[in-house]
């Protein structure tokens, strides 16, 4: 298997941040996928475009996994399974990403900030600013790492890479995030009531 | 108003098109509004209510997802400066919802134009220019923001001189807290309902 250089992975990672700019109702992320994969393709682009400018769906945060897995299939001449892999990725990555990011991580971050707003009586202090900026920083580190790791892992392991989302560790993380999110919303309600008293 | 429109366009760009690093979320942009001299109580309360209303919604490209980061930023920056009372606060929340929904429809309309890249991919065998794509998007968003800002400014000017802004409402704080608690309870209800 061809080695994917760190520079190429980095270049692909940066491109995934712009994957949505090509979003359209005809093929959803199909054009974004072609745009993101260009640095890894070399000169044979027209054949690649002909093949991949079709319907493709993903979650932008987990798009790295999709890119890595498709590259694994493409660069290693595993042509017959590319379409099937894309179909699997379109449904699986989209739903996992939406659940992980939009149903768990985003609410946890927002509810933490909102709790602090309410505790400080809708006024900002240094602690509030530190909390909000730390959350943004941590989320963006996660945002970068998940894309970078997704490309690398997808390329090295192929479709096996998404088995990470079936692992016990992942399930425990999801369980803890769900618990934490519910605790945060309950604490927000309590804090709001206390603020009124 | 030009500056607000431009920043709003960038907020919309970040929230839906590029990066998605939460930099456009109301809890973060609210801090900048406060540093710009806005009333922190109203700005933070509006951010809290907005977040709680939309916390349960999952952004999807195929459905019209309300663009609340944009709705919040543009409404808060135009309606919320100056003297406020709970009535104008409720009105600004209603405007945030209205603008968010309207922007979602606008986004659907705008996205149809991006099918042009398919032609570029297929017929010119070239790579679409990212700078051109972003510039095109920012210009469209800026024009849209300017139009929304102009409408909001007119509403804001009307509110300044109206009697609504001068009424003293009893239990204002309790009303704002109630506005926060209701969507929070609804959020819990939706989560537990989904679990079943």
């Amino acid at each position: 298997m061809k080695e994917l250089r760190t520079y190429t992975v980095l270049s692909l990672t940066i491109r995934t941040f712009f994957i949505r700019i090509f979003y359209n109702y005809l093929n959803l992320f199909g054009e974004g996928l072609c745009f993101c994969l260009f640095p890894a393709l070399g000169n044979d682009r027209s054949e690649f475009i002909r093949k991949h400018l079709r319907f493709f769906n993903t979650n932008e945060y987990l798009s790295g996994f999709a890119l890595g897995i498709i590259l694994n299939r493409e660069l290693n001449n595993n042509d017959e399974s590319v379409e099937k892999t894309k179909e699997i990725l379109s449904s699986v990555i989209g739903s996992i990403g939406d659940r992980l990011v939009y149903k768990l991580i985003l609410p946890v971050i927002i509810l933490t900030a909102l709790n602090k707003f309410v505790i400080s009586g809708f006024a900002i202090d240094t602690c509030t600013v530190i909390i909000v900026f730390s959350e943004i920083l941590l989320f963006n580190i996660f945002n970068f790492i998940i894309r970078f790791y997704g490309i690398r892992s997808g390329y090295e392991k192929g479709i096996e890479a998404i088995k990470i989302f079936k692992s016990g560790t992942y399930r425990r993380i999801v369980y803890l995030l769900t618990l934490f999110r519910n605790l945060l919303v309950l604490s927000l309600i309590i804090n709001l009531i206390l603020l009124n008293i | 108003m030009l500056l607000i429109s431009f920043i709003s366009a960038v907020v919309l760009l970040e929230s839906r098109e590029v990066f998605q690093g939460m930099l456009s979320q109301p809890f973060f942009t609210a801090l900048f509004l406060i540093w710009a001299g806005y009333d922190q109580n109203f700005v933070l309360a509006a951010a809290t209510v907005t977040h709680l209303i939309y916390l349960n919604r999952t952004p999807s490209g195929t459905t019209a997802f309300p663009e609340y980061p944009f709705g919040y930023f543009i409404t808060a920056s135009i309606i919320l400066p100056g003297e406020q009372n709970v009535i104008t606060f409720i009105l600004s929340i209603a405007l945030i919802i209205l603008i968010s929904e309207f922007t979602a429809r606008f986004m659907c309309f705008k996205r149809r134009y991006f099918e042009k890249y398919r032609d570029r991919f297929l017929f010119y065998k070239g790579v679409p220019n990212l700078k051109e794509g972003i510039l095109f998007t920012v210009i469209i968003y800026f024009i849209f923001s300017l139009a929304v800002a102009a409408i909001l400014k007119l509403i804001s000017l009307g509110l300044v001189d109206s009697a609504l802004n001068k009424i003293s409402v009893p239990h204002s704080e309790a009303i704002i807290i109630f506005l926060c608690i209701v969507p929070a309870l609804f959020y819990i209800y939706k989560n537990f309902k989904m679990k079943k």
Side-chain angles (χ1 to χ4, degrees), chain B:
Chain B
M1 203 165 81
L2 280 174
L3 183 67
I4 289 172
S5 301
F6 179 73
I7 300 171
S8 303
V10 176
V11 163
L12 190 52
L13 183 80
E14 201 277 335
S15 73
R16 295 305 284 153
E17 305 281 2
V18 299
F19 204 60
Q20 288 101 23
M22 282 205 192
L23 303 171
S24 55
Q25 290 293 327
F27 77 90
F28 188 61
T29 52
L31 297 185
F32 293 92
L33 289 174
I34 292 164
W35 287 330
Y38 288 69
D39 182 336
Q40 54 180 350
N41 291 322
F42 280 105
V43 165
L44 292 180
T48 307
V49 177
T50 310
H51 270 306
L52 290 170
I53 290 170
Y54 292 110
L55 206 54
N56 212 32
R57 302 283 292 265
T58 306
S60 162
T62 47
T63 55
F65 176 75
E67 300 298 334
Y68 68 89
F70 171 80
Y72 167 78
F73 185 82
I74 199 160
T75 311
S77 49
I78 291 176
I79 300 280
L80 289 183
E83 266 187 45
Q84 296 290 324
N85 68 5
V86 76
I87 298 172
T88 48
F89 177 78
I90 294 169
L91 193 75
S92 53
I93 296 295
L95 282 169
I96 290 171
I97 296 169
L98 204 72
I99 290 167
S100 305
E101 292 288 344
F102 181 66
T103 311
R105 266 75 186 169
F106 171 76
M107 289 288 282
C108 296
F109 172 75
K110 181 244 164 199
R111 273 185 176 154
R112 287 179 215 283
Y113 285 99
F114 267 76
E115 286 171 15
K116 67 178 185 160
Y117 281 113
R118 183 180 164 79
D119 297 342
R120 192 164 298 186
F121 269 116
L122 283 176
F123 303 122
Y124 298 96
K125 314 277 188 221
V127 188
N129 190 332
L130 186 65
K131 276 184 216 158
E132 192 185 281
I134 291 176
L135 199 68
F136 174 73
T137 309
V138 169
I139 290 169
I140 289 181
Y141 287 171
F142 178 67
I143 295 165
F144 175 73
S145 305
L146 208 58
V148 173
I151 295 165
L152 283 171
K153 192 75 193 168
L154 284 175
I155 297 170
S156 154
L157 287 173
L159 276 176
V160 168
D161 296 326
S162 74
L164 274 180
N165 212 19
K166 294 176 178 71
I167 300 168
S168 168
V169 183
H171 309 297
S172 296
E173 269 189 28
I175 294 170
I176 292 173
I177 288 163
F178 178 75
L179 284 174
C180 295
I181 290 177
V182 171
L185 285 172
F186 185 69
Y187 179 69
I188 290 186
Y189 166 74
K190 287 284 263 185
N191 275 330
F192 282 104
K193 196 181 157 198
M194 225 161 56
K195 237 182 171 179
K196 280 177 185 177

Side-chain angles (χ1 to χ4, degrees), chain A residues 152-184:
Chain A
R152 179 137 275 178
S153 158
Y155 183 71
E156 283 167 6
K157 298 177 189 163
I159 198 79
E160 296 289 307
I162 58 171
K163 281 195 175 163
I164 191 174
F165 299 110
K166 270 188 164 182
S167 68
T169 313
Y170 175 76
R171 281 178 196 196
R172 273 191 289 277
I173 291 171
V174 167
Y175 175 75
L176 285 174
L177 280 172
T178 311
L179 195 71
F180 193 45
R181 180 197 63 187
N182 292 341
L183 284 173
L184 279 170

Side-chain angles (χ1 to χ4, degrees), chain A residues 7 33 38 43 58 63-64 85 93 101 141 148 169 189 192-193:
Chain A
Y7 175 78
L33 177 81
F38 274 155
N43 294 324
T58 184
S63 56
T85 308
I93 299 269
V101 180
I141 291 170
F148 187 89
T169 313
I189 292 169
L192 281 163
I193 293 165

Side-chain angles (χ1 to χ4, degrees), chain A residues 62-107:
Chain A
L62 300 188
S63 56
F65 283 93
L67 257 62
I69 294 165
I70 291 167
L71 268 182
N72 171 287
R73 292 282 191 265
E74 274 296 327
L75 299 181
N76 299 307
N77 300 316
N78 205 345
D79 252 13
E80 67 280 2
S81 59
V82 171
E83 277 311 307
K84 205 174 173 201
T85 308
K86 277 177 77 178
E87 273 174 37
I88 296 168
L89 290 175
S90 284
S91 57
V92 175
I93 299 269
S95 63
I96 292 173
D98 285 353
R99 181 153 186 252
L100 178 68
V101 180
Y102 294 119
K103 292 278 178 203
L104 293 171
I105 296 175
L106 192 88

